[in-house]
């Protein structure tokens, strides 16, 4: 199985797991799945593991969005 197939399979399972979450947590789960998929193609070149590629992709997007909020003078939501 390729890294790309592994990431697609894993994020597909993550998307399927959303039904088990509380309704108010589902949008965050959907966003995390999208983040994991967004940069995963680039991560395939440096990662040997699908989980590593998905996490790297999600962290890149989260970090980018935090930087955008900081530039705009806004703080990211940190509510538990």
């Amino acid at each position: 199985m390729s890294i790309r197939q592994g990431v697609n399979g894993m994020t597909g399972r993550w998307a399927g797991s959303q039904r088990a979450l509380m309704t108010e947590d589902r949008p965050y789960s959907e966003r995390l799945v999208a983040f994991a998929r967004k940069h995963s193609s680039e991560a395939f070149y440096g990662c040997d593991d699908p989980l590593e590629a998905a996490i790297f992709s999600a962290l890149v997007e989260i970090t980018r969005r935090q930087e955008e909020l900081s530039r705009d003078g806004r703080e990211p939501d940190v509510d538990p």
Side-chain angles (χ1 to χ4, degrees), residues 17-29:
S17 297
Q18 292 170 356
R19 290 185 300 266
L21 295 174
M22 294 174 21
T23 304
E24 62 267 16
D25 290 334
R26 290 180 188 161
Y28 303 113
S29 174

Side-chain angles (χ1 to χ4, degrees), residues 4-77:
R4 180 184 307 273
Q5 290 170 327
V7 170
N8 287 337
M10 182 173 31
T11 55
R13 289 188 300 277
W14 289 359
S17 297
Q18 292 170 356
R19 290 185 300 266
L21 295 174
M22 294 174 21
T23 304
E24 62 267 16
D25 290 334
R26 290 180 188 161
Y28 303 113
S29 174
E30 292 169 3
R31 195 176 313 162
L32 180 60
V33 168
F35 287 174
R37 290 177 175 162
K38 185 165 185 168
H39 299 284
S40 59
S41 292
E42 296 93 336
F44 296 147
Y45 296 107
C47 300
D48 296 328
D49 179 91
L51 180 58
E52 182 182 12
I55 290 172
F56 179 80
S57 176
L59 289 173
V60 166
E61 188 64 17
I62 290 166
T63 303
R64 183 185 69 77
R65 289 182 182 229
Q66 283 184 318
E67 172 125 347
E68 288 174 357
L69 289 172
S70 294
R71 263 196 317 254
D72 294 343
R74 295 179 288 158
E75 289 295 321
D77 292 334

